[in-house]
Amino acid sequence: MAMVVCKNMTVLMCLAVVLVAIAGNGEARRHEKESVGFYELRRGEFSMVLTNWGATILSVRLPDKNGHIDDVVLGYKNVGSYVNDTTYFGALVGRVANRIAGGRFAIKGHPYHTYRNDGHNTLHGGHRGFSQVFWSVREHATGDFPYITFAYRSYDGEQGFPGFLDVLVTYKIDGDLSYSVTMYARPVDKPTPVNLAQHTYWNLRGHGSGATILNHAVRIVASAVTPVTPGDLIPTGKIMPVVDTPFDFREPAAVGSRIEKVKGGYDINYVLDGEADGQGVRKVAVVSEETSGRVMELWADQPGVQFYSGNFLKGDEGKDGARYHKYAGLCLETQDFPDAVHNPGFPTEMYRPGQVYKHYMLYKFSINK
C-alpha cells in the first residue's frame, strides 16, 4: 500500500533515521514497531505525496501557464529532517494548534500544564505534538478520486493534555486541480481542548524557484484580526478591524506591499466573515502568482485563519537542493482562535466525550494564462 516516491531515500533508510533521532527518550519505545510510508495521490497532472510521519504533505505538483509542472510546497529532502522539526513543513499540528499562553489552562478548576516549547508558551501541541508522531493508515484508495486516511490515538497526558483523543485526517483529490483535508477528533474519556491545523508552506512560483512570496497577491476574506502582545504572539483577547492597517487584505494585495509596517512579518489570526454555506464552509483566501499563472483558493469551516509569511525561515535546506530563506513560503492555517482556552469571548475549542471536533478544508487551483 505504501508507495516510495521520494528521491535518494528508501523506507528502511528513512525509518533508521527516524528511530536514531528519537532514540534515547521515553517515546522511542512507543515508535519502535512503526514504519515510515510514502503515499501518492494523483489525478492527471495534479498529484500530492504524503507520509504517515506527522500526517505530513511532502509535495503538491501542478502545471503552470506554460504547462511546466512544479512542486509548490516547501519541504525537506528526506524524512529524517522532519524529526524534531520546528518549522512544521506540511504537518498536521495539534492537539492544540497555535499558542497556549504560559503552557497551562484549567478545566472546571483543575489545572493542566502543557509542554512549553515556545518560550513560556506551548506551540502546536508541544515538543512532540501530532506532527512528531507516527500515524497509522486507516484507508488508502486509488481511482478517479484517490484519498488516504491517517489515524492517531493521543494518550492521556501526552504533552500535558488530558484524556485519550482519537484523531482522523483524510486527504482526498476531489477534482482535476483540487483536494480536501477533513479532520475529526473525538475525546474518549475526559474533556480536552482541540484545535487542529494543516501547516503547509506555499510558493506558487515553485518551492525551488528561489523566489520569495512577497509578490504573491493575497486576498483574505476577513475584516478583523486578533491582535497579539509584542514578542510572544499571544492574543490580547480583543478583535481589531483591519481597515487602515497593513493587515487589510480584503482586496488582493501583494504580500510585500505593506510588510515593512509589520514588525517581523505577518503571523496573525484573521477573523473570517465570509458568507458560509449550509455546512459552515466559506471562502477563506485567494492567492495568485503572476509569473506562473497559478491561483489557489482556500475554503474552510473554521472561524479563523493564521496568515504566516515565513518570517522564521533561515536558509533551511529543502528538496532538490533548494534553500528556504525568509519569506520563501506562506501559510494559511484555518483554525479556532489562538489561546482560546484563556479567552471566553473566543469560539470555544473545548470538547467533551461524546462530542466530535470537525475541520474541513478545500483547496481549488486554477491557471491564469
Side-chain angles (χ1 to χ4, degrees):
M1 184 160 56
M3 180 181 296
V4 179
V5 296
C6 300
K7 297 180 179 179
N8 302 322
M9 59 179 171
T10 66
V11 171
L12 290 177
M13 288 173 60
C14 295
L15 175 58
V17 171
V18 170
L19 291 180
V20 168
I22 63 177
N25 66 49
E27 296 189 5
R29 292 187 298 276
R30 296 179 52 243
H31 297 310
E32 60 187 2
K33 295 182 180 180
E34 302 285 354
S35 62
V36 175
F38 304 98
Y39 309 88
E40 182 180 59
L41 307 180
R42 175 179 290 275
R43 181 181 170 93
E45 294 182 315
F46 183 58
S47 67
M48 56 195 305
V49 176
L50 306 104
T51 177
N52 61 323
W53 177 258
T56 298
I57 294 175
L58 299 177
S59 71
V60 175
R61 298 176 61 85
L62 70 156
D64 65 8
K65 64 184 181 183
N66 298 313
H68 181 75
I69 296 174
D70 288 307
D71 183 355
V72 295
V73 303
L74 277 57
Y76 291 117
K77 65 179 182 179
N78 61 63
V79 76
S81 297
Y82 287 87
V83 179
N84 298 320
D85 166 52
T86 57
T87 57
Y88 306 96
F89 284 145
L92 195 290
V93 296
R95 174 177 308 196
V96 173
N98 220 300
R99 291 170 175 83
I100 297 176
R104 56 181 174 77
F105 59 90
I107 301 177
K108 294 184 178 179
H110 183 86
Y112 292 94
H113 298 272
T114 51
Y115 192 102
R116 297 188 295 182
N117 61 323
D118 183 51
H120 294 293
N121 308 313
T122 298
L123 176 63
H124 294 327
H127 174 59
R128 293 218 171 271
F130 292 174
S131 63
Q132 291 291 305
V133 297
F134 285 104
W135 294 61
S136 63
V137 176
R138 177 67 59 87
E139 193 171 3
H140 183 204
T142 57
D144 290 339
F145 304 101
Y147 66 88
I148 189 166
T149 298
F150 296 113
Y152 180 66
R153 168 164 278 199
S154 178
Y155 60 87
D156 184 18
E158 185 171 23
Q159 299 296 292
F161 291 98
F164 287 87
L165 183 74
D166 287 333
V167 188
L168 296 173
V169 56
T170 297
Y171 296 95
K172 180 181 180 180
I173 292 184
D174 296 277
D176 289 339
L177 289 173
S178 68
Y179 78 89
S180 61
V181 185
T182 306
M183 302 165 243
Y184 290 99
R186 182 180 65 87
V188 176
D189 54 350
K190 295 179 182 179
T192 183
V194 182
N195 183 23
L196 307 180
Q198 220 299 319
H199 207 290
T200 293
Y201 288 71
W202 298 96
N203 187 319
L204 298 184
R205 183 82 173 268
H207 86 94
S209 65
T212 71
I213 47 79
L214 295 179
N215 288 328
H216 283 43
V218 172
R219 177 186 172 222
I220 301 176
V221 189
S223 55
V225 295
T226 52
V228 297
T229 55
D232 60 8
L233 300 177
I234 297 296
T236 63
K238 298 178 180 179
I239 305 294
M240 182 184 79
V242 298
V243 63
D244 296 327
T245 77
F247 300 104
D248 190 353
F249 284 94
R250 291 174 297 168
E251 298 296 329
V255 175
S257 60
R258 300 181 296 265
I259 199 168
E260 76 281 355
K261 299 179 181 179
V262 181
K263 185 177 181 180
Y266 293 104
D267 193 1
I268 197 164
N269 174 66
Y270 281 75
V271 180
L272 298 172
D273 53 17
E275 183 177 353
D277 65 15
Q279 302 300 313
V281 178
R282 69 186 82 194
K283 182 180 286 187
V284 173
V286 180
V287 183
S288 62
E289 199 283 314
E290 184 175 6
T291 301
S292 67
R294 295 186 181 101
V295 180
M296 181 181 77
E297 288 186 11
L298 173 59
W299 298 67
D301 61 359
Q302 297 299 290
V305 62
Q306 189 84 8
F307 175 39
Y308 172 55
S309 53
N311 316 322
F312 299 113
L313 296 174
K314 299 177 180 179
D316 306 65
E317 184 177 2
K319 298 172 285 187
D320 308 316
R323 286 280 180 181
Y324 305 137
H325 297 279
K326 189 175 184 178
Y327 306 140
L330 64 82
C331 301
L332 289 163
E333 309 154 54
T334 53
Q335 61 181 0
D336 284 315
F337 295 175
D339 201 34
V341 293
H342 293 129
N343 290 283
F346 287 177
T348 184
E349 60 183 17
M350 200 66 65
Y351 291 82
R352 302 187 303 274
Q355 295 181 315
V356 177
Y357 167 94
K358 181 178 181 292
H359 183 169
Y360 174 78
M361 308 173 74
L362 176 64
Y363 296 85
K364 299 180 181 180
F365 297 89
S366 58
I367 311 297
N368 287 333
K369 295 186 177 182

